[in-house]
Amino acid sequence: MDPVIKRPETTITEPQISAFESSLKSNDTEEQIDIWFYRPIGYQIALFCAKIGLRPNPVTIISIFFGVAAGILFYYQELWINVIGMLLLVFANSLDSADGQLARMTNDKSRLGRILDGAAGDFWFIAIHIAICLRSQNEGWSAWIWVPGVLAGASHVVQSAMADYYRNVHLFFIKGTSGSELDNSRDLQAEYDRLSWKSDFGMKFIARTYLNYTKLQESFSPHLQKLLGLVREKYKTGLPKDLVTDFRAHNKPLMKYTNIVQFNTRVLFLFLWLFLDQSWIYFFFDMFVLNPILIYMIVNQEKVSRYFYQKIKTNEFQGV
């Protein structure tokens, strides 16, 4: 009689989220270059900062210095100096990635940290735009080069603001308030009004700047504001699962446009034109390539908002 062979029992377990993955905001909103390059570097920096007790906000401030230094180096026409600037800018963005990952790893999040994180890139690109304008004048351009320089700078502010806003809206719907940094001008106005210019000058100035920034985001998304207002009124205890699933399916394809108008695409082309010694093209790329993408992104986000506003109004989503 053949012996009975007992097979070892196997158990199926849910895949565990790694420490690295938990330091990310969401796979829906992450760009591939970030996942492959910046986030792994940022994670190692965040681990080091956590080990020595360095908090997220100082990391952000350090990134500002590196980014501004990079912009200054783009003033020079010597390619080797520009390459050093490129490396500094890449490192600045790695630090900018690390501050958010560090904040999530250590649960050290703050409103000031969010404001600093959003402002860091603006400081970098102000330096870059000034450097390119001065460089172009040295190359024979008239002072008129400042016109596209300033217009491209204004375009960059709106592009970054709206990309950041739409990502946080997406995270709000799929993760709730715990996974999103979505703010609204009504709450910010109340916080601003509670501060005093006499005793809280620094924080009140920062609060005013951030309030204006948030109002800018809201002004470009009127239908989205109606949707968010309805969601907050109707679902005070949490979003219905079918709403979360449906919203993610409709909105996730639009996340790639938020990445296109952000750091990676613009910097790749900026580096290309620095290598070709035609840095002035960057201004026109910003205005005539990235702005149409921005408009397309806004138009489609508004369509999604109108769609879900009507579905919620007709009570198509029930329960949590």
Side-chain angles (χ1 to χ4, degrees):
M1 191 175 189
D2 295 334
V4 177
I5 301 175
K6 292 185 177 180
R7 297 181 181 276
E9 293 184 1
T10 59
T11 57
I12 299 174
T13 58
E14 293 292 327
Q16 303 233 335
I17 297 176
S18 68
F20 169 69
E21 289 174 316
S22 66
S23 74
L24 306 178
K25 286 185 177 181
S26 162
N27 285 330
D28 287 5
T29 57
E30 296 284 358
E31 192 173 2
Q32 284 303 125
I33 293 177
D34 289 332
I35 293 175
W36 293 336
F37 184 74
Y38 285 110
R39 299 298 185 241
I41 295 175
Y43 181 64
Q44 294 303 319
I45 296 173
L47 288 175
F48 174 76
C49 292
K51 186 176 181 180
I52 65 173
L54 190 62
R55 298 181 64 186
N57 289 353
V59 176
T60 307
I61 293 170
I62 294 169
S63 81
I64 293 174
F65 283 102
F66 275 99
V68 170
I72 293 171
L73 294 183
F74 295 152
Y75 164 77
Y76 301 95
Q77 285 186 268
E78 290 83 354
L79 181 58
W80 69 271
I81 297 179
N82 295 165
V83 170
I84 295 174
M86 296 175 197
L87 294 174
L88 289 180
L89 190 58
V90 167
F91 184 63
N93 197 52
S94 299
L95 288 172
D96 190 52
S97 176
D99 62 11
Q101 291 172 279
L102 178 62
R104 285 184 285 276
M105 288 164 53
T106 59
N107 198 28
D108 188 4
K109 301 176 184 178
S110 67
R111 172 68 54 72
L112 179 60
R114 167 154 170 70
I115 296 171
L116 283 173
D117 189 57
D122 291 335
F123 280 110
W124 306 347
F125 282 94
I126 287 171
I128 290 170
H129 282 238
I130 291 173
I132 293 176
C133 285
L134 293 173
R135 172 182 176 143
S136 299
Q137 284 189 280
N138 288 343
E139 294 171 348
W141 287 77
S142 73
W144 284 101
I145 191 62
W146 288 89
V147 174
V150 171
L151 291 175
S155 298
H156 173 262
V157 169
V158 177
Q159 292 160 10
S160 297
M162 296 313 297
D164 178 66
Y165 192 59
Y166 288 136
R167 280 202 298 266
N168 277 308
V169 168
H170 187 81
L171 291 171
F172 170 76
F173 274 92
I174 68 172
K175 287 190 170 185
T177 54
S178 62
S180 171
E181 297 172 331
L182 185 64
D183 289 310
N184 65 83
S185 59
R186 182 190 60 191
D187 293 342
L188 293 176
Q189 183 71 57
E191 292 179 18
Y192 171 78
D193 292 338
R194 285 194 294 268
L195 297 171
S196 166
W197 282 113
K198 185 176 181 180
S199 57
D200 309 298
F201 181 84
M203 284 307 300
K204 193 169 179 74
F205 177 78
I206 292 172
R208 178 77 255 182
T209 303
Y210 187 57
L211 175 60
N212 292 340
Y213 177 80
T214 304
K215 285 184 175 180
L216 171 71
Q217 294 172 318
E218 292 174 351
S219 68
F220 279 92
S221 55
H223 291 286
L224 175 55
Q225 301 315 307
K226 290 177 63 178
L227 172 63
L228 291 173
L230 181 62
V231 166
R232 291 187 179 106
E233 175 189 335
K234 195 174 180 70
Y235 305 116
K236 294 181 180 179
T237 59
L239 300 182
K241 291 182 179 179
D242 51 347
L243 170 57
V244 173
T245 302
D246 200 8
F247 186 88
R248 184 179 187 183
H250 279 79
N251 205 60
K252 184 179 176 180
L254 299 178
M255 288 298 97
K256 61 177 174 287
Y257 300 107
T258 67
N259 291 323
I260 291 173
V261 300
Q262 280 285 68
F263 182 84
N264 291 329
T265 302
R266 67 174 66 248
V267 164
L268 287 173
F269 280 94
L270 171 62
F271 289 176
L272 171 64
W273 290 311
L274 285 167
F275 273 111
L276 297 176
D277 196 19
Q278 301 293 330
S279 58
W280 58 271
I281 300 178
Y282 172 73
F283 296 151
F284 296 91
F285 172 79
D286 208 324
M287 291 186 291
F288 299 115
V289 176
L290 296 185
N291 272 344
I293 295 173
L294 168 70
I295 293 169
Y296 181 83
M297 179 176 69
I298 291 173
V299 168
N300 281 277
Q301 288 284 354
E302 289 290 274
K303 285 182 181 177
V304 169
S305 297
R306 288 195 298 270
Y307 169 79
F308 281 98
Y309 181 85
Q310 292 301 323
K311 291 195 77 171
I312 294 173
K313 267 289 190 182
T314 55
N315 296 311
E316 293 194 34
F317 302 108
Q318 299 293 331
V320 177

